């Protein structure tokens, strides 16, 4: 009950549609190639931020790109949308969903009590990110919609510093009021 799979599947359906009624998507080949190039470049920074004003297609792009990444044999993917509309923006949902998905990749069980604190979930996420996957795969974590976080603030403690060699992370966000560029978010995240 703590992986919130139903909410995340509903989010994905919003951007993918169904086999009988797919959501149109196109014209983003350059962006898809840029994400692929970053993922494949061993010298690229481990953390990638996509920041832009609302309505630019960040979520649609990341959903489509992650579907392509799933076909790769050497990468394990964890995708968690932070969405007001799909009620995945609260800290108890985000960090529980991340911990559940990471635990599954490590072959572990997670705490299954409703009293598990957000700080416990966050601690589990950090520890799982620091540990290489038993399969030897590279781990790709995608958090879409960081700006929609409701009861928590993303900061330098969101991911391990320095980043582990086996982890790549993509976050997407909208600019906040007063932001002039992605640098404002980079400063917030340390």
């Amino acid at each position: 009950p703590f992986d919130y799979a139903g909410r995340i599947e509903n989010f994905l359906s919003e951007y993918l549609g169904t086999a009988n009624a797919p959501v149109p998507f196109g014209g983003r080949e350059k962006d898809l190639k840029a994400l692929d190039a970053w993922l494949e470049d061993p010298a690229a920074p481990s953390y990638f931020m996509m920041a832009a004003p609302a309505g630019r297609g960040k979520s649609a792009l990341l959903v489509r790109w992650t579907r392509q990444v799933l076909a790769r044999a050497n990468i394990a993917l964890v995708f968690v949308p932070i969405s007001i509309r799909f009620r995945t923006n609260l800290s108890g949902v985000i960090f529980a969903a991340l911990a559940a998905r990471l635990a599954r990749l490590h072959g572990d069980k997670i705490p299954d009590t409703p009293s598990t604190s957000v700080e416990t979930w966050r601690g589990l996420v950090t520890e799982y990110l620091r540990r290489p996957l038993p399969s030897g795969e590279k781990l790709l974590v995608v958090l879409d919609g960081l700006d929609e976080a409701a009861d928590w603030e993303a900061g330098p403690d969101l991911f391990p510093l320095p980043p582990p060699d086996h982890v790549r992370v993509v976050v997407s966000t909208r600019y906040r009021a007063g932001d002039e560029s992605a640098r404002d978010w980079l400063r917030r995240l340390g």
Side-chain angles (χ1 to χ4, degrees), residues 15-104:
Y15 289 94
L16 296 171
T18 65
N20 294 334
V23 173
F25 179 82
R28 302 297 295 268
E29 290 78 18
K30 180 180 172 186
D31 297 323
L32 291 167
K33 286 180 182 176
L35 285 164
D36 282 338
W38 165 79
L39 185 60
E40 294 166 4
D41 182 357
S46 296
Y47 298 145
F48 184 97
M49 170 167 289
M50 184 183 309
R56 300 294 170 96
K58 296 176 296 297
S59 295
L61 175 65
L62 288 175
V63 167
R64 296 300 174 140
W65 180 62
T66 57
R67 298 310 91 186
Q68 293 176 7
V69 169
L70 285 172
R72 297 180 182 207
N74 60 340
I75 297 175
L77 172 69
V78 172
F79 177 87
V80 179
I82 304 169
S83 170
I84 294 168
R85 210 169 13 141
F86 292 94
R87 297 186 50 227
T88 61
N89 62 325
L90 298 175
S91 58
V93 174
I94 287 298
F95 294 104
L98 273 170
R101 281 159 179 70
L102 292 167
R104 191 173 301 126

Side-chain angles (χ1 to χ4, degrees), residues 2-188:
F2 301 107
D3 69 356
Y4 297 95
R7 295 180 194 186
I8 293 171
E9 288 170 14
N10 287 342
F11 179 92
L12 294 171
S13 293
E14 176 83 7
Y15 289 94
L16 296 171
T18 65
N20 294 334
V23 173
F25 179 82
R28 302 297 295 268
E29 290 78 18
K30 180 180 172 186
D31 297 323
L32 291 167
K33 286 180 182 176
L35 285 164
D36 282 338
W38 165 79
L39 185 60
E40 294 166 4
D41 182 357
S46 296
Y47 298 145
F48 184 97
M49 170 167 289
M50 184 183 309
R56 300 294 170 96
K58 296 176 296 297
S59 295
L61 175 65
L62 288 175
V63 167
R64 296 300 174 140
W65 180 62
T66 57
R67 298 310 91 186
Q68 293 176 7
V69 169
L70 285 172
R72 297 180 182 207
N74 60 340
I75 297 175
L77 172 69
V78 172
F79 177 87
V80 179
I82 304 169
S83 170
I84 294 168
R85 210 169 13 141
F86 292 94
R87 297 186 50 227
T88 61
N89 62 325
L90 298 175
S91 58
V93 174
I94 287 298
F95 294 104
L98 273 170
R101 281 159 179 70
L102 292 167
R104 191 173 301 126
L105 291 173
H106 283 276
D108 293 345
K109 289 188 176 249
I110 60 165
D112 59 358
T113 62
S115 62
T116 303
S117 72
V118 170
E119 289 306 313
T120 299
W121 292 124
R122 286 184 82 146
L124 285 169
V125 167
T126 299
E127 290 310 309
Y128 280 127
L129 290 174
R130 290 182 196 276
R131 290 177 20 203
L133 293 175
S135 64
E137 293 173 303
K138 187 167 275 239
L139 174 63
L140 173 62
V141 176
V142 179
L143 289 181
D144 178 49
L146 197 57
D147 57 289
E148 293 191 36
D151 63 345
W152 60 284
E153 189 74 27
D157 64 332
L158 185 57
F159 300 112
L161 292 173
D165 291 337
H166 63 280
V167 175
R168 290 288 176 110
V169 176
V170 176
V171 295
S172 76
T173 185
R174 291 181 224 151
Y175 296 141
R176 285 185 175 170
D179 285 357
E180 295 182 16
S181 71
R183 290 190 188 280
D184 294 299
W185 269 105
L186 293 173
R187 183 183 34 72
R188 283 182 202 109

